[in-house]
Amino acid sequence: MSLLVVGLSHRSAPVSVLERAALNADAQVKLVQDTIAAEPATEAAVLATCNRIELYADVDKFHAGVAELSTLLAQHSGVGLDELTPYLYVHYEDRAVHHLFSVACGLDSMVVGEGQILGQIKDSLARAQDLHSAGRLLNDLFQQALRVGKRAHSETGIDRAGQSLVTFGLEQLASGADVQGWARGKKALVIGAGSMSSLAAATLARAGVGEIVIANRTGERAERLAEILNEGSDQGVLARAVPMGAVSGELTRADVVVSCTGATGLVLSAGAVATAVQGRVADGVPDAGADAGAVPQPGGGGVSPVFGSGAAPAPRPHAGPAAEESCPLDLPAVQQGFSVMGEAAVAGMDAATLEQHAVWVDNGDVDRREAARRAPEADAELITALAATVATVGRIPERRKAEPVVEAPRPAPVLFLLDLAMPRDIDAAVHRLAGVRLVDIESLAEASADAPMAADVDQVRRIVADEVAAFGAALRAAHITPTVVALRTMAADVVANEIARLEGRLPGLDDKHRSEITQTVKRVVDKLLHAPTVRVKQLAAEPGGAGYADALRTLFDLDQEAVAAVSRAEGADDEPENSKNRGPA
C-alpha cells in the first residue's frame, strides 16, 4: 500500500488561507486529472469541503509524491507553494487510512460528530470513479470509510457531540437560545441551492420560519428546492424561488439570511446589507447576544501604577477593628495621593503601622498573603527605589486602580446572516454594522473550539482504530495474493508438463490410471504449498509484512511479469463492482 494524503483544513490553516485555497468543481476535476498525469501517482481523489481540501493518491515514491501533490495543490488553489506549505499536513499508509476514517466519523470536523461529511466523501468517490482515477485502493478505501462513518453514527452517540454546520450556525445566530423559538415566524432568505443551502432551507423550515425565499443563479434548481419545501412542510411554511437579481429587494424584507454559493467573489457587500437594515435598527435596545460594554464599578478592575499628581479617591472607614476616621499616620502626604509603599519609604514605618495605614487608604483592599510572601530584601530594595524617586521628583506616584472603558451597547440585531461559503459570500465588514449579526466559517471555528465533546467520542476513536487495523491487514493480505496465485499457477504448469512427459514415456497408459496419477501429483503439490501459502498470507497481514511477497518471489524464482499479470486481471475483474459502487453508499 502506498496511500498518501496531502491537504489543509481548519485545524492546520487560518480561514483566510482556506478561503483563498478553495477549489470549485472544475478546479477539482482538473486537479485529479493532473495528479494522475504526474509520474508518482496512479490513483487520485480530491475531498473538498467548506473547511478542508485534501488530495488522496496511490504513489510509488513517498518523497516525490509529497513534493508533486503539494505543488499541484498550490498550482490549482492559486496560493503560492511557499505560503501554502506551512499549513499542509501529510499522512502516509496506515496514518492516511486513520485520517480518512476519522474524517468520515466526524472526529475531524469543525463541529464534532456532524454527518454531512459522509455525503461529501461519497461525492468525492463518485467524481473519481467518473474520471477513472479511482482504482482498487481508493475504491476500497472510500467505500470502507463510508461504512466506518455509518457504523460510528449507528453504534455510538457521536451525534450528540455535535450537529450539522447549519444547525450549529443557527444556534450561534440565536446566541444559545432555542433555535425553534428564535426562528418561529421569521422571514428567511437562502442564497444558493446546493446541498448545504438545501440543508439550511430544510432546517429553517423545521424550525418554523414563516417564509423561505430561495435565490440561485440557476432558476430551475431554486424552483425545485422551493417545490420540495412546499410539498414536504408540515409547518405551513411558504417557500418561493426568485432570481439572483432580486436578492437586494428580498434582503430588506428578510430576518434571516443563509448564503452558501460557489461564487468566487462576494455575494453580499457591506453596503448592500447596510442599505437593507437602514431604518430597521431599534435605537437604545441592547443586543442580548453581544458582549455589552463594561460598566465602570467603584474599586473594580486591576491595580496599575499611574504616574501623575492626581489625588487618591476619598477614603472610607474600614469596617474592621483597624478602621479610623482619619489616617492613623497623620501624614500630610496622604492629601497628595502618596502610595502606601511610598509613604513607608518616606516615614520608615514598621510593618504593623504600615498595614494599619493600608487598611485606611485602600479600605482594606490589600492582599496580605502577597505581602507575607515578599522577602525583606525585596521590600528593602523597593523602599530604597521609592526614596530615590522622592529625592528626585519630590513625591511618590500614586497607585490607582484602572477603570474599564465604557462602550456603548449595540442595538439588538434586526438581520441575522449565516455565511457557510468558502470563499466567503458575505463581506466580513458586516460584523461592524449596527443591527446586524453575522456568523461565518471563521466565527464558527472559534465557537466550535470551546464546544464540549461527548463521551461517545472515545468509543468512536476505538472503532476507528479497529477498522484501520482490519483495513491494513486486508490490504496487506491482498497485496500478496497475486504472488500466491502466480506460485500456484507455476506449480500447476509443472504438474501439467510432468504428466505430459509421463504420457510420452507410457503411451499405453489407460485413462483410469492416467487420471489417478494426475490427481495424486496434484494432491502432493497442493499439500506442499498449502502451509507455506496460508502462513505467508497471515504474516503478510501483519504490520511490516509486505516483504513476504518479495521473499516468496525470490524463493520460487517467480517471474515479476507473471505476478503483475495476475494483479491486472484482478483489477479488470473489479471494474463491474466499482460501477455498482456509484449507487447509494
Side-chain angles (χ1 to χ4, degrees):
M1 177 180 66
S2 302
L3 177 65
L4 175 67
V5 56
V6 178
L8 67 160
S9 73
H10 65 101
R11 294 187 182 275
S12 70
V15 172
S16 58
V17 175
L18 282 174
E19 186 177 29
R20 292 170 54 205
L23 301 174
N24 59 31
D26 292 338
Q28 293 174 40
V29 170
K30 192 67 169 62
L31 175 57
V32 170
Q33 292 172 335
D34 288 353
T35 303
I36 290 297
E39 183 178 344
T42 57
E43 301 181 33
V46 171
L47 178 58
T49 71
C50 59
N51 52 33
R52 77 176 62 252
I53 304 156
E54 296 176 345
L55 180 55
Y56 291 78
D58 182 8
V59 299
D60 56 5
K61 298 175 183 176
F62 172 73
H63 293 291
V66 171
E68 188 65 36
L69 266 59
S70 301
T71 300
L72 288 170
L73 274 174
Q75 289 176 352
H76 288 273
S77 67
V79 180
L81 182 59
D82 291 343
E83 183 181 358
L84 191 65
T85 297
Y87 304 112
L88 294 177
Y89 47 77
V90 175
H91 299 297
Y92 190 55
E93 295 187 335
D94 283 351
R95 289 301 307 169
V97 177
H98 188 281
H99 175 73
L100 181 59
F101 287 4
S102 298
V103 169
C105 293
L107 293 179
D108 198 60
S109 295
M110 186 178 292
V111 181
V112 175
E114 61 95 6
Q116 290 171 256
I117 188 65
L118 287 175
Q120 292 160 335
I121 291 174
K122 180 181 174 183
D123 292 342
S124 176
L125 174 60
R127 184 186 305 109
Q129 288 173 339
D130 289 339
L131 295 172
H132 304 288
S133 66
R136 182 168 188 172
L137 175 59
L138 291 187
N139 268 292
D140 290 349
L141 174 69
F142 275 69
Q143 287 289 340
Q144 187 63 21
L146 292 170
R147 286 189 285 268
V148 173
K150 290 180 180 180
R151 179 188 169 193
H153 284 280
S154 64
E155 295 183 11
T156 75
I158 187 67
D159 292 332
R160 295 194 298 268
Q163 59 275 94
S164 73
L165 203 60
V166 171
T167 305
F168 188 62
L170 292 177
E171 287 184 354
Q172 295 302 305
L173 282 182
S175 299
D178 177 64
V179 172
Q180 288 196 333
W182 167 81
R184 187 171 295 113
K186 284 183 167 61
K187 295 181 177 64
L189 170 62
V190 176
I191 305 176
S195 58
M196 189 75 79
S197 298
S198 300
L199 178 60
T203 304
L204 287 168
R206 287 194 300 270
V209 296
E211 180 186 32
I212 300 178
V213 177
I214 312 295
N216 191 56
R217 183 178 59 182
T218 305
E220 293 79 2
R221 296 190 66 177
E223 292 171 0
R224 177 57 182 158
L225 178 54
E227 181 182 342
I228 293 173
L229 291 172
N230 286 325
E231 291 175 352
S233 175
D234 297 329
Q235 309 292 332
V237 178
L238 172 64
R240 57 188 176 87
V242 298
M244 286 294 289
V247 165
S248 297
E250 295 294 340
L251 197 60
T252 62
R253 303 177 59 252
D255 302 306
V256 183
V257 178
V258 179
S259 185
C260 187
T261 73
T264 56
L266 293 176
V267 174
L268 293 180
S269 66
V273 176
T275 301
V277 297
Q278 190 173 6
R280 297 168 61 186
V281 179
D283 295 332
V285 181
D287 180 0
D291 293 332
V295 179
Q297 299 293 333
V303 176
S304 60
V306 178
F307 294 84
S309 58
R316 295 194 306 268
H318 183 61
E324 299 285 345
E325 292 299 325
S326 61
C327 176
L329 302 185
D330 194 24
L331 293 176
V334 173
Q335 303 302 320
Q336 301 177 28
F338 283 0
S339 72
V340 173
M341 293 183 181
E343 284 146 7
V346 174
M349 296 297 172
D350 59 84
T353 307
L354 176 61
E355 183 179 16
Q356 187 181 21
H357 177 68
V359 169
W360 184 83
V361 173
D362 288 342
N363 298 319
D365 189 17
V366 173
D367 190 343
R368 302 186 184 188
R369 292 171 299 177
E370 178 63 28
R373 284 196 295 267
R374 288 199 306 269
E377 298 80 10
D379 278 342
E381 291 178 3
L382 179 61
I383 289 174
T384 301
L386 290 172
T389 304
V390 170
T392 302
V393 301
R395 66 180 305 279
I396 301 299
E398 179 187 5
R399 186 172 67 177
R400 288 180 178 271
K401 297 176 180 178
E403 295 183 354
V405 177
V406 180
E407 296 181 2
R410 288 172 61 91
V414 296
L415 183 60
F416 299 84
L417 305 172
L418 177 57
D419 186 357
L420 297 175
M422 184 62 69
R424 73 182 75 224
D425 279 346
I426 303 175
D427 191 345
V430 168
H431 276 295
R432 298 194 293 268
L433 295 179
V436 179
R437 180 174 300 156
L438 170 63
V439 171
D440 53 19
I441 293 296
E442 191 164 12
S443 55
L444 285 176
E446 294 173 357
S448 65
D450 299 326
M453 296 179 66
D456 300 272
V457 169
D458 289 336
Q459 185 178 351
V460 174
R461 289 191 176 124
R462 288 192 292 271
I463 289 175
V464 169
D466 292 343
E467 292 283 358
V468 170
F471 185 83
L475 207 59
R476 287 186 289 270
H479 179 70
I480 203 170
T481 297
T483 302
V484 172
V485 171
L487 174 60
R488 289 191 172 276
T489 301
M490 185 190 74
D493 291 342
V494 170
V495 169
N497 291 335
E498 289 302 316
I499 294 299
R501 176 175 169 275
L502 181 64
E503 289 179 348
R505 298 184 63 181
L506 301 173
L509 195 66
D510 59 52
D511 293 341
K512 179 180 179 181
H513 289 92
R514 183 187 299 105
S515 177
E516 187 63 33
I517 292 171
T518 301
Q519 292 301 320
T520 299
V521 174
K522 286 182 177 180
R523 281 195 298 270
V524 170
V525 172
D526 287 342
K527 287 182 178 181
L528 286 173
L529 292 180
H530 176 73
T533 54
V534 169
R535 184 60 179 145
V536 79
K537 285 183 177 181
Q538 294 171 343
L539 293 171
E542 298 176 359
Y548 286 100
D550 295 332
L552 206 61
R553 287 194 296 269
T554 302
L555 288 172
F556 289 92
D557 195 22
L558 295 177
D559 183 8
Q560 179 64 44
E561 181 56 34
V563 176
V566 174
S567 299
R568 289 194 295 269
E570 289 184 349
D573 290 340
D574 285 341
E575 278 302 318
E577 184 178 348
N578 290 343
S579 298
K580 295 176 185 177
N581 286 340
R582 300 185 192 189

